[in-house]
Amino acid sequence: MACLLETPIRMSVLSEVTASSRHYVDRLFDPDPQKVLQGVIDMKNAVIGNNKQKANLIVLGAVPRLLYLLQQEPSSTELKTECAVVLGSLAMGTENNVKSLLDCHIIPALLQGLLSPDLKFIEACLRCLRTIFTSPVTPEELLYTDATVIPHLMALLSRSRYTQEYICQIFSHCCKGPDHQTILFNHGAVQNIAHLLTSPSYKVRMQALKCFSVLAFENPQVSMTLVNVLVDGELLPQIFVKMLQRDKPIEMQLTSAKCLTYMCRAGAIRTDDSCIVLKTLPCLVRMCSKERLLEERVEGAETLAYLIEPDVELQRIASITDHLIAMLADYFKYPSSVSAITDIKRLDHDLKHAHELRQAAFKLYASLGANDEDIRKKNMAFQAEQKIKADILRSLSTEQLFRLLSDSDLNVLMKTLGLLRNLLSTRPHIDKIMSTHGKQIMQAVTLILEGEHSIEVKEQTLCILANIADGTTAKELIMTNDDILQKIKYYMGHSHVKLQLAAMFCISNLIWNEEEGSQERQDKLRDMGIVDILHKLSQSPDSNLCDKAKTALQQYLA
């Protein structure tokens, strides 16, 4: 059967290949060099912006012939250059096109082409290499296989603004981790690229800037070097500060802020330096504004989260800068109207970024409350005033909050539970919030405890219940809900100690005998068999669980 199926599949592919496509490939084999050159030029014009034509030519075997012509000594420089241009155009198609080119060993052929004395040919090879290396299907290790390649690329940086742009772009896409950073650094990347930041070409300046951002990321050696580099009499950090000013393009502002952020995190710039406090941090907060593109808002929030994560004072400054918290609340409201979007591709793009926006906002919330309990206002809710909690609920909207509690992403769900737990702290606040939103919160808690969730998610949810049980009036929402009480009882006998402890906190708060109505609650829970479970747990090998059970039993004896 397998053999019978092969022919129709092959025919269906070839049926897409037109006679004119075959004609383009046939002309590559003409004995007349001028006709071959004209054939390649015609092919170049035919494939520009035409993915179907690109796929046809690849299926018909154009790539091996183009690579052959590109590497042959007798081929004119003009023909070699045009071959490189066509190959670059083919690489700009689909990821499958790039895979086909890689299978034909295009990278070694193009790298060999860089040894040519002809600048136009070198530029065409670099442009094609740039396109291939920026594709997600290309292994960046291919740039480092031959030890002579990096030093040769460094030498080519001085040839033209195009060699500068393409080589910097290749470096920034192929620098993944400390090993690559070290190779580039040891071959003089910092010194060779620094002066490009003052190039008259915006594209060159931008690609040089991106290079520095990937070189400095979590790399103290590079960062310490960058901080002392002079370009036209100015230190690099000063140049980066100029590049993040409001009058510069957003892409440049954001990348400059990333460079300064990474240098700061690597210990090369102090966290209280004015270039961080007065320039970098405010720039990143601006990037979180709803006026920015979705991708910029994601990058801005994630970079800001990374900048402030280890430093309490930066967290404090960020929390009071330009209404940042209100900006982050907007991250959860996108897309605002799915029905208004008629373009399916746009909808898919927006939904994808809606998820990324939520992730970025939660990373920033986490960083805002990373080190100081008082700043956990961590979402801005821990030990916060009632007014701040009300502002959070109003900005985020309770509908959005409960929608996030059903999110399939574990990180989003955990961060939302953490936010809710912090909102439900301090008795008057617990009672106030539960009097308004108690029904929805209890429904959400029930659904999570019944669902297929991780230990961590269920532990966090039981801790929310324990906070509710600490309320004065709110605890009645648990006591009058037999379903929830049975779930607490179930988790007291669970095999995982974390869940047993969390359930124990719920019970302890419900039976505490100094509070009004404790006798009735104790009686109801005794009738459910809770006291019997407490006796068993008081013999637990886990000392923490054992102590908590004994403390709870004492409430019955008091």
Side-chain angles (χ1 to χ4, degrees), residues 41-62:
I41 292 170
D42 291 344
M43 184 183 284
K44 174 182 70 175
N45 294 329
V47 297
I48 292 172
N50 189 334
N51 276 350
K52 185 176 178 182
Q53 186 71 279
K54 290 175 186 179
N56 290 345
L57 292 170
I58 289 171
V59 168
L60 284 168

Side-chain angles (χ1 to χ4, degrees), residues 10 46 124 134 148 154 176 199 274 282 369 409 439 498:
R10 180 70 178 154
T134 54
T148 65
M154 291 294 177
K176 309 284 187 190
S199 165
S274 61
D409 188 282
K439 185 179 177 183
K498 278 187 176 181

Side-chain angles (χ1 to χ4, degrees), residues 163-188:
T163 63
Q164 291 166 351
E165 178 191 338
Y166 303 146
I167 290 170
C168 283
Q169 202 168 356
I170 289 167
F171 285 163
S172 61
H173 275 273
C174 293
C175 186
K176 309 284 187 190
D179 291 345
H180 296 162
Q181 289 171 327
T182 300
I183 292 169
L184 293 172
F185 179 79
N186 288 343
H187 282 100

Side-chain angles (χ1 to χ4, degrees), residues 393 396-405 416 419-420:
L393 282 169
L396 191 54
S397 86
T398 49
E399 291 78 12
Q400 183 60 52
L401 182 66
F402 295 118
R403 200 176 301 133
L404 291 170
L405 286 173
T416 310
L419 172 60
L420 185 56

Side-chain angles (χ1 to χ4, degrees), residues 71-83:
Q71 295 176 89
Q72 281 302 102
E73 271 304 316
S75 297
S76 67
T77 304
E78 187 181 5
L79 175 58
K80 290 179 178 181
T81 304
E82 292 294 345
C83 286

Side-chain angles (χ1 to χ4, degrees), residues 483-515:
D483 187 24
I484 286 288
L485 288 173
Q486 288 296 336
K487 284 179 171 52
I488 295 171
K489 178 182 175 182
Y490 166 77
Y491 284 108
M492 286 178 76
H494 198 276
S495 58
H496 204 290
V497 173
K498 278 187 176 181
L499 296 182
Q500 289 180 290
L501 279 169
M504 183 73 75
F505 278 117
C506 295
I507 294 299
S508 295
N509 284 342
L510 291 172
I511 64 174
W512 205 253
N513 59 34
E514 291 175 9
E515 295 173 10

Side-chain angles (χ1 to χ4, degrees), residues 232-289:
D232 294 347
E234 269 193 305
L235 287 169
L236 266 191
Q238 295 171 318
I239 292 173
F240 292 152
V241 166
K242 282 185 177 179
M243 290 175 134
L244 56 70
Q245 290 172 350
R246 288 172 183 265
D247 61 336
K248 297 294 188 289
I250 295 299
E251 179 188 32
M252 181 172 277
Q253 290 185 46
L254 193 45
T255 312
S256 303
K258 286 170 83 168
C259 288
L260 289 161
T261 292
Y262 297 159
M263 290 164 72
C264 179
R265 282 297 307 265
I269 302 176
R270 288 169 57 98
T271 55
D272 60 356
D273 192 297
S274 61
C275 77
I276 297 297
V277 177
L278 301 179
K279 301 293 182 180
T280 307
L281 187 148
C283 173
L284 290 170
V285 172
R286 285 202 306 275
M287 294 301 129
C288 299
S289 163

